[in-house]
Amino acid sequence: MKDTEIKKEKKATPLVQVTIDDKKVMVESGSTILDAANQAGIKIPTLCAMPEINHYPGSCRMCVVEVEGMPCLAASCVYPVRDGMVVHTHTERVIKARKTVLELLVSSHPLDCMTCEKNGECDLQDLAYEYGIKESKYGRNEKNLPLDDSNPFILRDLNKCILCRRCVEICNEIQQSKAIGIGFRGKKTEIIAGIGNELGHETNITIGSDENPDYSQCVSCGQCVAVCPVGALTDKAAIGKGRAWEFEKVHTTCNYCGCGCGFDLNIKDGKVVKVTSNADSVVNGINLCVKGRFGNDYIHREDRLKTPLIRKNGKLEPASWEEALQLVSDKFKDIKEKHGSDSLAVLSSAKCTNEENFLLMKFARAVLGTNNVDHCARLCHSATVAGLAQAFGSGAMTNSIKEIANASVIYVTGSNTTENHPIIALEIKKAVTKNGAKLIVADPREIELTKYATLWLRQRPGTDVALFNGLMNVIITEGLEDKGFIKEKTEDYEKMKEIVLKYTPEIVEKLTGVSAEDIKKAARIYAKGPRTSLIYSMGITQHTTGTDNVLSTANIAMLTGNVGKESTGVNPLRGQSNVQGACDLGALPNVYSGYQKVTDPQINEKFSKAWGADLSNQVGLTVVEILNAAYEGKVKGIFVMAENPAMSDPDLNHAREALKKTEFLVVSDMFMTETAEMADVVLPGVSFVEKDGTITNTERRVQRFHKAIEPIGEAKPEWQMISELAQKMGYQMSYNHPSEIMEEIAELTPIYGGMFYPRLEEKGMQWPCLDANHPGTKFLHKGKFSRGKGKFFPVEFREAAELPDEEYPLIFTTGRVLYHFHTGTVTRKSKGLNEVYKEALVEISPQDAKKWSIKDGAMVEVASRRGKIKAKAKVTEKSDDGVVFMSFHFHEAAANLLTNAALDPVAKIPEYKVCAVKIKKVS
Ligand code: FES
């Protein structure tokens, strides 16, 4: 699309003048009277309308106003303005009508405010007080309906429901779960859920599945709780734990996925009682997913680590901080002296703050003297960093989350967005259902988004390069490429074209299993856009061809001119809350913060000078290489900061063996993880609510964690323990607050140059943010690419490292489910999340199930060349024939015992997404 066309689309809406309570206001034509009043700062009471839901139900009539020239009162939330309209919002007639509405509501509403959970934040209570409603002339008409206690997180009391329909609107129009609706008629009208009118859902639910119609389609996001104006929907876990006015609200950022949602922690007596939405949250508004809203109860679990532990006679025993840090210091110094700096390594953490990641890499480089620093981004998105940096000059999401809703085409590949990045999925669904975007899903597994897709390309796992080349082949042969963009802004197009022309749709059909016809259709839709946004995640990166896959995403985006413009781009979705930040802050073996190379003499000198230490210019080892070196006895001491490689690494038996062989292993964490159990020293870390700091979400937005409670027991934030350890080892590292670390980051890191705490408070800032006056960057590569010209890379298709054969005839692939996170370290400790999703499941297609005589729910053994596990089978069409899927959250059936540690040669990311397995029924 040319820029002029975009301007045409964004033609300004004409303004009209309205007078409200003698105040003149200019508003866009098409606005409602309520919108105009809000703009004029005039408050009209509402019980159903609220800005956060798409369109107002117009059901409560509290918002009535008098419009001059109109015989009846108008519901201001639905009545549109016209030029010259004169409105009165508080006449006698209006007030009488509102009182009647309130009396009718109160007549059927229980008068149990003294014990109601909503007391103090109930809109009906507030309005009844404001309008002086003490009793109702309509008598008492209470409903006497049973409570719905079936959902693990939400209690529904329909006796208190005022039928405002906010919950129905948000569930159907924004969350789009369609779990609740309006049932029955007249006096009997009720909000209903599922066939049994219960909000509870099936355990071990598969999102988007219609397999069991007896259950509601509720995903427990709790948006309904967030919008309920009365006490009809409440957060079960918080019942009886405090009144509205007793809570201190602390705004912070969620610490689950890379969306970076904001919410309020509700604190009473030093404890987090619940999480509530905060409409000012820049990424998500009031929307949250089940983990963010209800999955933080692990914070106050009794089994939190409360003191340091030291292994004595084979057992981990409580110790003081002084004793523990002295021991770590002595051992690390000893190993360094005897075996050299590179016999030590640190694993940083995508769950920790930017400041902590910066400090740990500084500790590794300036104190231990090694570049052996890496973290789990190696295992999820190192291919993104390597691929996009080569093609564009920057390895991050090019555009912003909010831009997705305005894309005209969205191509989602290797991302089960609904379960992994639920809030970003809402933007995709909005784009499709509200704004008319076309969605193409390329995924071997049937995911919820395929329901919204114009086209679903079901490629064989591991054939993404071939599929991209096929799409580009059609675009080029049909002349749909953006010639101007290619000429002006890119290089090496001809080299890429030469390779791509070999991949005709017919050849690609044979390689991928996607029909030539669908390849052609998808290519045309992609190229014609005009604003095409490509979204991908670990289904693209976790392959031995991960970097090639990412280069292919860059190729197709440049080929069609979809980079450097709003609502376009290449958008990798980062898995953990701070994967982006941990990479940005240099928790990688080849770069300091801001991707400044350790091998660049000038950069090396800059950091050496700033930190007063001689820094190594040798690229260090990656995660898998560190563990391999530990296995071989070359790496002897490892500090693991809040990560769990004994669950997250591929080929776990080998990884666990390596950790066992490590001479001195130090782990910091909140809980006794599988890795901590093997450690010589365990240091108790804190949760995200017990510390200040910042994290960077997937759209490069740096946002604040605000400390809301004191650390549990003797636990300490990692930034503090690292500083103290460094001091013990004789290096001066002392900060009073993480904001001081951020000042050091800004000084040494150009892309974070203007990131200072006061600027980050409200909405955070997106990098690059070069100095104190820089506004941050909404989308990258505007005008030109970060590296100058965008570079095309010719990429040939290569098969996965291990393919099915006679002995191991199935492809094994892994991913996450909505209700759990990563290695389950915290979600397995959340009561409700475990109630909903209790156990590991092996998804297998009906045809394969028949072939191996496996019934749904039967125990099966899945084995690869590296290990075997037992779990329950789930027979589902979601899995393609020949493909078995498992999540990797469950230690009792750890999927990574099976996965292959074969590495992408450039990014060194292991091939989690494809390996060969066999399956059999067991009793
Ligand atoms: S707020 Fe307008 S009808 Fe309810």
Side-chain angles (χ1 to χ4, degrees):
M1 186 193 233
K2 305 286 167 291
D3 285 351
T4 45
E5 285 173 73
I6 297 173
K7 275 186 204 135
K8 225 189 286 167
E9 271 198 352
K10 289 187 177 166
K11 220 165 59 184
T13 320
L15 296 179
V16 295
Q17 192 190 66
V18 189
T19 308
I20 307 177
D21 295 346
D22 299 328
K23 205 168 175 182
K24 290 195 184 342
V25 58
M26 298 297 291
V27 289
E28 285 189 354
S29 132
S31 308
T32 63
I33 297 173
L34 183 65
D35 294 333
N38 285 338
Q39 203 175 307
I42 293 166
K43 191 173 170 352
I44 296 176
T46 60
L47 278 171
C48 66
M50 64 187 295
E52 289 79 17
I53 52 180
N54 268 348
H55 96 279
Y56 303 152
S59 53
C60 75
R61 316 314 268 187
M62 254 324 274
C63 66
V64 287
V65 291
E66 220 171 332
V67 178
E68 282 188 15
M70 255 183 77
C72 336
L73 298 177
S76 63
C77 70
V78 286
Y79 205 86
V81 291
R82 64 183 145 65
D83 199 30
M85 185 183 255
V86 179
V87 178
H88 302 282
T89 68
H90 281 80
T91 63
E92 218 175 288
R93 197 171 153 218
V94 164
I95 288 171
K96 194 172 164 211
R98 287 183 191 152
K99 282 187 170 179
T100 303
V101 168
L102 287 169
E103 281 192 55
L104 280 165
L105 290 174
V106 166
S107 76
S108 61
H109 197 89
L111 299 175
D112 63 349
C113 295
M114 60 291 279
T115 53
C116 180
E117 276 303 310
K118 201 76 176 188
N119 187 15
E121 51 182 356
C122 169
D123 292 352
L124 180 61
Q125 188 188 52
D126 290 349
L127 286 170
Y129 184 82
E130 187 184 333
Y131 284 78
I133 308 297
K134 295 198 170 119
E135 55 193 32
S136 169
K137 62 173 168 282
Y138 302 102
R140 301 296 309 143
N141 299 299
E142 287 184 46
K143 298 174 198 154
N144 289 321
L145 295 167
L147 294 182
D148 174 10
D149 192 25
S150 59
N151 184 289
F153 310 99
I154 303 165
L155 180 72
R156 272 201 327 153
D157 182 354
L158 291 179
N159 298 300
K160 292 180 181 169
C161 174
I162 58 168
L163 291 172
C164 69
R165 304 177 190 213
R166 282 181 184 176
C167 57
V168 178
E169 278 293 311
I170 203 155
C171 181
N172 289 272
E173 301 301 321
I174 294 177
Q175 181 64 29
Q176 305 203 22
S177 292
K178 301 187 173 53
I180 47 180
I182 306 282
F184 312 113
R185 290 289 176 272
K187 253 182 89 175
K188 296 201 164 149
T189 306
E190 250 181 58
I191 305 297
I192 53 166
I195 286 178
N197 199 7
E198 290 192 330
L199 206 53
H201 36 78
E202 200 176 358
T203 51
N204 295 332
I205 192 173
T206 310
I207 303 304
S209 140
D210 300 322
E211 284 161 12
N212 194 343
D214 287 348
Y215 288 92
S216 89
Q217 293 293 307
C218 176
V219 291
S220 295
C221 62
Q223 324 296 40
C224 56
V225 178
V227 296
C228 181
V230 292
L233 292 158
T234 43
D235 178 341
K236 239 174 168 176
I239 291 175
K241 301 222 173 109
R243 311 302 253 157
W245 56 87
E246 293 176 307
F247 294 127
E248 183 201 349
K249 290 199 176 192
V250 180
H251 190 65
T252 200
T253 309
C254 180
N255 201 27
Y256 277 114
C257 75
C259 289
C261 297
F263 53 59
D264 285 344
L265 299 160
N266 289 240
I267 310 296
K268 188 187 162 198
D269 299 334
K271 281 194 166 182
V272 180
V273 175
K274 62 179 174 181
V275 159
T276 47
S277 294
N278 182 326
D280 293 333
S281 304
V282 62
V283 173
N284 56 307
I286 63 167
N287 302 318
L288 288 169
C289 77
V290 59
K291 295 192 290 290
R293 195 185 299 278
F294 300 121
N296 293 303
D297 48 336
Y298 65 87
I299 293 167
H300 296 290
R301 273 185 63 114
E302 262 315 298
D303 54 353
R304 279 277 306 269
L305 294 173
K306 298 190 185 80
T307 63
L309 302 170
I310 290 177
R311 192 169 294 280
K312 287 178 184 161
N313 303 320
K315 265 183 75 186
L316 284 166
E317 308 268 2
S320 68
W321 273 102
E322 172 59 31
E323 198 186 347
L325 291 180
Q326 192 60 54
L327 177 62
V328 178
S329 164
D330 291 346
K331 287 297 286 186
F332 278 175
K333 276 205 252 177
D334 185 50
I335 292 171
K336 185 175 167 181
E337 222 165 81
K338 284 192 188 137
H339 307 283
S341 289
D342 288 334
S343 60
L344 292 164
V346 304
L347 295 183
S348 206
S349 173
K351 301 294 289 170
C352 287
T353 63
N354 287 327
E355 293 77 0
E356 288 164 336
N357 277 287
F358 180 82
L359 276 203
L360 189 63
M361 76 95 180
K362 179 177 175 180
F363 173 78
R365 289 172 164 137
V367 184
L368 301 182
T370 179
N371 283 320
N372 291 342
V373 47
D374 206 11
H375 72 288
C376 69
R378 177 72 45 207
L379 311 177
C380 61
H381 269 291
S382 55
T384 293
V385 177
L388 293 187
Q390 287 181 72
F392 297 163
S394 172
M397 184 166 169
T398 57
N399 291 59
S400 298
I401 293 169
K402 285 283 175 212
E403 291 173 43
I404 296 169
N406 293 319
S408 38
V409 174
I410 303 172
Y411 187 96
V412 177
T413 183
S415 159
N416 181 4
T417 323
T418 317
E419 300 206 51
N420 292 319
H421 299 90
I423 297 303
I424 294 177
L426 299 188
E427 299 295 323
I428 297 173
K429 292 180 195 177
K430 184 176 170 188
V432 175
T433 60
K434 309 291 171 199
N435 300 338
K438 289 197 172 88
L439 173 66
I440 303 169
V441 173
D443 205 301
R445 187 162 170 254
E446 185 184 359
I447 55 172
E448 196 239 8
L449 282 183
T450 55
K451 279 187 177 174
Y452 295 79
T454 302
L455 264 179
W456 171 25
L457 312 177
R458 191 172 208 175
Q459 77 275 41
R460 182 167 60 87
T463 59
D464 302 282
V465 166
L467 184 56
F468 276 119
N469 281 350
L471 294 170
M472 290 191 282
N473 179 293
V474 176
I475 292 168
I476 294 170
T477 52
E478 295 193 5
L480 299 173
E481 74 274 27
D482 188 333
K483 297 178 183 71
F485 185 93
I486 295 167
K487 192 164 169 232
E488 272 172 49
K489 300 188 174 171
T490 68
E491 62 192 25
D492 289 348
Y493 169 64
E494 289 302 327
K495 288 185 195 163
M496 190 274 300
K497 182 178 168 185
E498 196 187 318
I499 297 292
V500 159
L501 287 182
K502 296 194 293 186
Y503 290 80
T504 64
E506 292 69 28
I507 289 173
V508 173
E509 176 175 328
K510 287 199 185 93
L511 294 172
T512 62
V514 180
S515 76
E517 214 33 56
D518 278 353
I519 293 168
K520 286 179 199 166
K521 276 191 215 159
R524 289 168 196 148
I525 294 171
Y526 195 109
K528 286 179 184 166
R531 296 179 303 284
T532 302
S533 170
L534 193 153
I535 293 172
Y536 74 82
S537 196
M538 289 176 268
I540 282 294
T541 54
Q542 289 179 332
H543 294 271
T544 45
T545 57
T547 307
D548 286 351
N549 291 348
V550 173
L551 289 171
S552 299
T553 67
N555 283 345
I556 195 167
M558 289 190 288
L559 181 68
T560 54
N562 278 300
V563 194
K565 290 191 301 193
E566 209 157 328
S567 299
T568 64
V570 176
N571 300 296
L573 305 183
R574 296 307 191 102
Q576 298 211 63
S577 58
N578 200 27
V579 184
Q580 185 64 57
C583 293
D584 296 346
L585 274 309
L588 297 168
N590 57 336
V591 287
Y592 297 109
S593 55
Y595 307 97
Q596 302 173 84
K597 291 192 168 116
V598 296
T599 49
D600 180 325
Q602 273 182 346
I603 298 292
N604 202 279
E605 199 191 323
K606 175 172 100 172
F607 279 88
S608 297
K609 221 164 135 193
W611 292 345
D614 269 343
L615 303 178
S616 162
N617 59 4
Q618 299 295 308
V619 171
L621 301 175
T622 63
V623 171
V624 178
E625 289 169 339
I626 288 170
L627 292 183
N628 285 343
Y631 189 86
E632 289 161 15
K634 291 180 191 151
V635 162
K636 296 182 183 296
I638 308 180
F639 187 115
V640 181
M641 176 168 82
E643 288 231 337
N644 193 10
M647 267 293 281
S648 61
D649 279 38
D651 191 0
L652 272 188
N653 282 328
H654 176 81
R656 287 174 182 175
E657 210 42 50
L659 289 165
K660 261 189 227 157
K661 285 185 172 182
T662 305
E663 190 181 309
F664 191 66
L665 178 65
V666 184
V667 176
S668 75
D669 215 303
M670 283 185 290
F671 293 103
M672 186 50 77
T673 62
E674 290 76 9
T675 309
E677 267 163 17
M678 291 186 226
D680 298 285
V681 175
V682 180
L683 304 173
V686 298
S687 73
F688 71 112
V689 305
E690 294 153 63
K691 63 184 167 188
D692 279 307
T694 62
I695 55 169
T696 306
N697 78 349
T698 193
E699 59 171 358
R700 300 168 276 105
R701 187 180 299 278
V702 181
Q703 303 186 101
R704 281 292 313 273
F705 275 165
H706 286 111
K707 183 177 171 184
I709 61 170
E710 287 304 318
I712 308 278
E714 291 174 30
K716 281 185 191 193
E718 267 81 359
W719 67 267
Q720 247 170 321
M721 59 176 93
I722 298 163
S723 309
E724 286 170 24
L725 178 59
Q727 305 246 47
K728 281 240 172 297
M729 293 185 72
Y731 181 87
Q732 186 54 36
M733 192 188 274
S734 155
Y735 306 90
N736 295 310
H737 189 264
S739 57
E740 293 175 10
I741 306 171
M742 190 49 108
E743 280 165 25
E744 185 175 327
I745 292 170
E747 204 176 301
L748 289 168
T749 316
I751 58 172
Y752 277 59
M755 301 280 185
F756 300 104
Y757 272 35
R759 300 188 82 198
L760 302 174
E761 283 301 331
E762 270 186 31
K763 298 189 182 309
M765 300 193 77
Q766 288 171 281
W767 65 257
C769 174
L770 303 178
D771 56 51
N773 298 315
H774 194 285
T777 307
K778 185 175 168 190
F779 59 90
L780 301 176
H781 316 304
K782 190 178 177 184
K784 67 173 187 150
F785 284 90
S786 303
R787 69 180 292 281
K789 289 212 162 189
K791 189 173 167 69
F792 282 103
F793 281 83
V795 186
E796 288 276 17
F797 167 64
R798 281 185 291 125
E799 287 281 9
E802 186 181 75
L803 292 176
D805 54 20
E806 239 171 74
E807 197 184 352
Y808 296 95
L810 294 161
I811 293 178
F812 183 73
T813 189
T814 62
R816 293 179 183 166
V817 299
L818 175 66
Y819 297 96
H820 286 290
F821 195 73
H822 212 236
T823 62
T825 309
V826 294
T827 51
R828 297 286 314 274
K829 293 187 165 59
S830 164
K831 187 172 169 282
L833 295 175
N834 277 295
E835 216 175 290
V836 181
Y837 207 108
K838 305 173 195 308
E839 60 195 326
L841 295 175
V842 179
E843 287 188 10
I844 182 167
S845 80
Q847 195 175 315
D848 287 337
K850 201 170 157 203
K851 197 164 162 188
W852 276 279
S853 307
I854 292 165
K855 289 222 166 68
D856 189 49
M859 282 305 282
V860 290
E861 182 186 275
V862 187
S864 76
R865 289 184 173 83
R866 294 154 291 279
K868 55 186 170 191
I869 53 174
K870 282 183 194 161
K872 246 187 214 167
K874 184 169 178 79
V875 179
T876 169
E877 301 275 0
K878 284 177 176 291
S879 264
D880 204 357
D881 295 337
V883 181
V884 170
F885 169 86
M886 270 191 89
S887 69
F888 57 97
H889 311 299
F890 298 87
H891 62 85
E892 57 277 31
N896 286 328
L897 286 167
L898 311 181
T899 48
N900 191 357
L903 299 182
D904 173 282
V906 181
K908 310 275 174 76
I909 191 168
E911 189 143 65
Y912 287 102
K913 293 297 183 216
V914 186
C915 75
V917 295
K918 58 185 174 187
I919 192 164
K920 68 175 183 192
K921 195 171 66 176
V922 290
S923 46

